[in-house]
Amino acid sequence: MSSERTEVQVRPGVESDLDYLTDIYNHYVRETPITFDTAAFSPEERRPWLLSHPEDGPYRLMVATDGALQANSQRILGYATSSPYRVKPAYSTSVEVTVYLAPEAGGRGIGTLLYKALFEALADEDVHRAYAGIAQPNEASTRLHERFGFRYIGTHREVGRKFGRYWDVAWYEKDL
């Protein structure tokens, strides 16, 4: 396991990552209640999302890659983002954060590496709080957020309907 971890690199996301990032996200759209999107996206449909996460500022996209080159590219293992919490100006110092891993990349500490890099990138930004909504149940995500100092603040009960049932979302916050 440690040899896998040493080969993982984290860097800002770039436009050439878009196809891989879309594939990872679409897995969660199609297979899980972790996102409440219900229809898969094309890379072109996801382009505005990617472009809304520049290399600087409070809205970041960090990508974890396998250090080994495969066909002149690195395999993307997952990503973490900070995005606007809400659109109204008074919310501008709050961000919503999330992590998505490639299905085969779980349990290797990649989420931890991604959040570490994301929070380091945000350290010099004018950001006061980070929020995370976790569709329930999701023990792995809950553990990851608690490890980074997030505290539980409440649950929206049956707030989303997907796969023919309603899902709760637990909300967590972290001081930055």
Side-chain angles (χ1 to χ4, degrees), residues 88-99:
K88 296 179 180 172
Y91 290 117
S92 67
T93 61
S94 297
V95 293
E96 187 171 345
V97 296
T98 192
V99 171

Side-chain angles (χ1 to χ4, degrees), residues 7-73:
E7 293 188 29
V8 175
Q9 299 172 353
V10 178
R11 58 166 174 75
V14 295
E15 197 160 350
S16 61
D17 298 331
L18 184 58
D19 288 347
Y20 300 108
L21 298 174
T22 302
D23 287 345
I24 290 170
Y25 188 72
N26 282 339
H27 164 78
Y28 291 93
V29 170
R30 287 188 305 269
E31 305 294 329
T32 78
I34 288 174
T35 176
F36 285 176
D37 278 316
T38 58
F41 290 85
S42 69
E44 195 56 41
E45 291 169 322
R46 288 287 281 176
R47 180 167 268 104
W49 164 84
L50 183 132
L51 296 176
S52 72
H53 295 90
E55 283 194 44
D56 58 359
Y59 311 131
R60 303 288 183 105
L61 166 62
M62 304 305 290
V63 172
T65 62
D66 186 332
L69 284 176
Q70 298 175 355
N72 295 325
S73 68

Side-chain angles (χ1 to χ4, degrees), residues 112-167:
T112 298
L113 292 173
L114 284 162
Y115 260 180
K116 183 176 184 288
L118 179 64
F119 293 126
E120 286 174 1
L122 293 177
D124 294 328
E125 299 296 335
D126 183 22
V127 180
H128 182 63
R129 290 261 195 293
Y131 294 91
I134 304 171
Q136 297 298 299
N138 190 334
E139 291 295 323
S141 186
T142 298
R143 282 192 308 274
L144 174 67
H145 287 86
E146 289 175 347
R147 190 169 35 249
F148 275 89
F150 281 81
R151 38 184 200 281
Y152 172 77
I153 56 174
T155 297
H156 292 186
R157 303 261 177 231
E158 296 184 352
V159 69
R161 184 172 64 189
K162 189 172 179 181
F163 303 137
R165 68 170 275 202
Y166 287 95
W167 300 91

